[in-house]
Amino acid sequence: MNKAIFPGSFDPFTLGHADIVERGLRLFDHITIAVGINEQKSGWIPVEERVRALRELYKDEPRVSVESYNGLTIDFAHEQGARFILRGLRTHKDYEYELGMADVNRKLDAHIETVVLFTEADLANISSSVVRELAHFGRDIRPWLPTGLEYRIKDIKD
Ligand code: ADP
């Protein structure tokens, strides 16, 4: 079985992320959305709430699971028995970052391949940070999130 992990912060998970998962399912039998825990900062939405909301979103899709993880992405890929790391690419800035990460990960384990999908043009400008900014100024963020993804707002910091 071809298993991939899709690691990221997903703070919040956007239409851009959902598109990568959807298209990734054409390549892989199973994708684990891997919500990285950053020891340095707690983020906007608590990690447990990010995981809960995503599990709810994908509850009817047995080929997608959602986990949080600490530490190195490559170690988590191993733990999951995944041979692929799925990522998305929007801009040249993403490119440089993704290239560096893929290179390091290949040096750590040449058997785990990073697969990068180009963004859908309409979704190229959607980022978690833009969505956080909109929320901060009181705008409705639902148009930027996949239908059915609901975060418990009381848990979210301003
Ligand atoms: P990270 O903090 O690891 O960059 P993110 O949650 O910001 O995590 O993003 C996870 C992955 O999704 C990254 O590979 C990022 O480039 C990709 N991504 C984010 N937004 C989009 C988008 N609109 N279209 C395609 N890929 C995206």
Side-chain angles (χ1 to χ4, degrees):
M1 181 158 89
N2 272 341
K3 285 180 93 178
I5 63 164
F6 179 34
S9 318
F10 308 117
D11 189 23
F13 189 87
T14 67
L15 285 173
H17 296 131
D19 182 58
I20 297 295
V21 171
E22 197 181 315
R23 288 157 58 212
L25 285 173
R26 295 183 202 146
L27 299 173
F28 306 112
D29 299 313
H30 188 274
I31 296 175
T32 301
I33 300 173
V35 182
I37 298 171
N38 184 337
E39 306 283 355
Q40 265 43 270
K41 50 179 184 166
S42 60
W44 184 48
I45 302 168
V47 169
E48 314 77 63
E49 175 57 9
R50 282 179 237 166
V51 170
R52 186 207 61 78
L54 283 175
R55 282 187 178 153
E56 179 65 24
L57 179 67
Y58 287 106
K59 68 176 188 305
D60 296 326
E61 178 46 89
R63 295 167 64 209
V64 174
S65 52
V66 186
E67 302 291 340
S68 60
Y69 73 103
N70 261 309
L72 290 177
T73 301
I74 200 91
D75 292 338
F76 186 67
H78 263 293
E79 238 172 72
Q80 293 291 304
R83 285 195 300 123
F84 301 95
I85 296 173
L86 175 64
R87 297 283 288 176
L89 198 75
R90 286 161 296 182
T91 60
H92 69 279
K93 269 199 243 152
D94 279 352
Y95 172 81
E96 280 166 27
Y97 181 72
E98 297 300 338
L99 183 64
M101 290 298 300
D103 186 42
V104 170
N105 283 328
R106 195 175 314 103
K107 286 190 170 83
L108 292 172
D109 187 337
H111 300 292
I112 296 184
E113 199 63 62
T114 300
V115 175
V116 180
L117 296 183
F118 289 104
T119 186
E120 192 70 55
D122 292 349
L123 305 175
N125 293 315
I126 303 181
S127 65
S128 299
S129 56
V130 166
V131 175
R132 287 197 299 272
E133 183 87 353
L134 291 172
H136 181 70
F137 290 106
R139 296 300 174 105
D140 182 9
I141 61 169
R142 276 171 299 185
W144 308 88
L145 308 185
T147 309
L149 178 62
E150 301 274 352
Y151 292 108
R152 289 183 183 145
I153 293 299
K154 69 171 178 47
D155 289 342
I156 297 177
K157 289 187 278 166
D158 267 331

